Amino acid sequence: MTQSLDLLSLQSVSKSYGAVPVLHDIDLSIRDGEFLTVLGPSGSGKTTVLRLIGGLEAVTSGKIVLDGDDISRMPINRRPFNTVFQDYALFPHMSVAANVGYGLSIRHRPRQEIRQRVGEALDLVQLGKFADRYPAQLSGGQRQRVALARALICQPRLVLLDEPLAALDLELRRQMQEFLKSIQREVKTTFLFVTHDQEEAIGMADRICVMQSGRIRQLGTPHDLYYRPSCKFVAKFFGENNLVSGRLAESDGTMRAIDTDLGRLHCSIEGQPDLRSAPNGTAAFAVFRPEALRAAEAGDDLNRFSGSVEELAFAGSSTVAHINSSGERLRLRQPSRITGSTLRPGEAMDLSFAPADSYLVLS
């Protein structure tokens, strides 16, 4: 399979507001045609990255490179990008058609061309019958689709989406996630999507860039980040991982032992040269997902320990058991059953997880 070429790259980009730094020496490449999500909590710098690329803010140092050219000082109106904002930013006095065609109008395109391309853009977002309505006559999801059509109509090289689904209710947000991804595949345009929602990122992105305090902590596929977090922050932020602190012990091939309050645990270190070479006694965490933890069976000699069920939390398709083991609070996730969980609060049980279903991260 041919590797996609980079469309845009941030090279040693930093941003400060006065004496307050908000981005620290960021290096990030965006591949042509991909759906890249920048994920992080409030204050992580994710929206600042989007605003720098879009030209809404100026870099303090470093370069933004498009097709080999430094566009860091290029005016916003010359950058081949369009932005979809959380609040839609539609003109309330203009019809849907006029909003969508605005970018072509200010470029002085012929009226017939504008009419044709507006119709095509509205058909793309399934709003062809709403051309004469005004934003106030639309639902939140429809307004968001109008904003997307307006962003796409000028055929940008990159579409920037700044938490565009945050104001929508849960079910509509899920529908729009599927819709955005399908549109992106259809038009084959690069999308940079900013969000603080991990599930949103998992469901939509080709790759995810996780940020914390103005720095990139990990960049990879949703599968990589879900199952192979590279640091404590990503392990805690990205999902509901169980983290058990301890000290590294000897390694054995693709596994390494860690001594914890649960006893000696064995975890995968595949693809982790830093964990393989770290000295014995180094502080670290064993990381394993709630669905990897299970009731121990005969023959489970590694990673076996006892615990007691403190409470059960029904979450629709799954049920999460909160378990106390030697003072460590762990989560065990099981598929929900119509007859209810087989576990009971107060129940003592032996637990285990497979070494291949776990990972180590340094403290």
Side-chain angles (χ1 to χ4, degrees):
M1 182 175 174
T2 303
Q3 183 73 22
S4 297
L5 298 176
D6 290 341
L7 169 68
L8 183 89
S9 63
L10 278 64
Q11 300 177 5
S12 302
V13 168
S14 295
K15 175 64 179 177
S16 298
Y17 294 106
V20 181
V22 292
L23 288 182
H24 306 271
D25 205 30
I26 294 292
D27 289 298
L28 176 65
S29 293
I30 303 171
R31 297 170 182 166
D32 193 16
E34 79 169 329
F35 196 122
L36 176 68
T37 294
V38 181
L39 173 69
S42 297
S44 62
K46 59 187 185 296
T47 295
T48 302
V49 167
L50 180 145
R51 292 178 66 84
L52 291 177
I53 293 172
L56 299 169
E57 302 278 357
V59 301
T60 301
S61 62
K63 296 191 295 184
I64 300 175
V65 177
L66 173 70
D67 294 333
D69 296 323
D70 183 359
I71 64 165
S72 303
R73 307 301 172 187
M74 181 181 288
I76 185 172
N77 63 316
R78 291 184 54 204
R79 300 190 187 199
F81 314 141
N82 276 335
T83 303
V84 179
F85 297 100
Q86 179 179 335
D87 61 359
Y88 321 128
L90 300 177
F91 298 114
H93 63 288
M94 289 185 181
S95 69
V96 165
N99 267 283
V100 172
Y102 181 75
L104 297 177
S105 297
I106 62 174
R107 289 169 172 82
H108 306 293
R109 304 305 303 165
R111 289 184 180 180
Q112 180 58 35
E113 178 188 342
I114 294 174
R115 190 178 302 111
Q116 178 182 342
R117 288 174 63 177
V118 167
E120 291 170 351
L122 288 176
D123 286 342
L124 179 68
V125 299
Q126 301 171 12
L127 289 177
K129 298 179 180 180
F130 294 79
D132 296 327
R133 293 196 186 182
Y134 287 82
Q137 298 172 310
L138 303 176
S139 69
Q142 289 169 337
R143 288 196 294 271
Q144 195 57 270
R145 282 190 273 165
V146 173
L148 179 61
R150 184 178 60 183
L152 292 172
I153 197 169
C154 292
Q155 300 173 329
R157 301 285 304 280
L158 173 66
V159 176
L160 306 169
L161 302 107
D162 186 11
E163 303 210 47
L165 310 183
L168 305 180
D169 62 52
L170 179 60
E171 183 56 33
L172 185 54
R173 192 159 68 243
R174 287 174 176 165
Q175 293 174 13
M176 283 298 298
Q177 289 169 16
E178 296 174 2
F179 181 77
L180 275 176
K181 186 60 181 175
S182 68
I183 289 292
Q184 191 265 339
R185 287 183 178 135
E186 184 172 347
V187 299
K188 298 181 174 60
T189 299
T190 308
F191 277 24
L192 178 68
F193 185 94
V194 168
T195 183
H196 64 274
D197 188 310
Q198 297 96 326
E199 289 188 9
E200 201 166 79
I202 291 172
M204 300 176 70
D206 297 317
R207 291 191 303 157
I208 298 172
C209 171
V210 180
M211 295 191 66
Q212 178 199 22
S213 301
R215 293 180 170 86
I216 294 175
R217 301 308 304 268
Q218 188 170 353
L219 175 64
T221 66
H223 188 276
D224 288 340
L225 272 67
Y226 191 83
Y227 287 110
R228 292 290 183 259
S230 64
C231 63
K232 178 184 176 183
F233 172 78
V234 175
K236 293 185 72 173
F237 181 72
F238 202 83
E240 300 178 329
N241 282 301
N242 293 304
L243 281 82
V244 179
S245 61
R247 299 280 176 177
L248 294 179
E250 58 270 10
S251 61
D252 178 17
T254 59
M255 292 193 300
R256 185 159 189 178
I258 180 171
D259 291 321
T260 75
D261 289 344
L262 304 183
R264 174 161 287 195
L265 304 177
H266 296 78
C267 301
S268 170
I269 53 171
E270 186 175 357
Q272 289 184 289
D274 55 335
L275 267 299
R276 188 183 301 277
S277 61
N280 286 353
T282 300
F285 291 90
V287 182
F288 50 96
R289 298 204 60 80
E291 55 268 29
L293 187 61
R294 54 179 172 77
E297 301 173 351
D300 285 333
D301 298 323
L302 296 177
N303 301 343
R304 187 180 185 124
F305 48 90
S306 61
S308 60
V309 179
E310 291 189 332
E311 60 178 315
L312 297 174
F314 177 70
S317 62
S318 64
T319 297
V320 177
H322 295 271
I323 293 173
N324 188 299
S325 179
S326 301
E328 295 280 358
R329 189 169 171 84
L330 307 175
R331 296 184 184 93
L332 182 155
R333 186 186 301 276
Q334 294 180 323
S336 294
R337 302 168 13 155
I338 195 167
T339 54
S341 175
T342 57
L343 303 177
R344 296 289 180 269
E347 176 183 355
M349 59 189 302
D350 286 342
L351 299 146
S352 185
F353 61 89
D357 292 336
S358 61
Y359 218 50
L360 292 171
V361 298
L362 296 174
S363 294

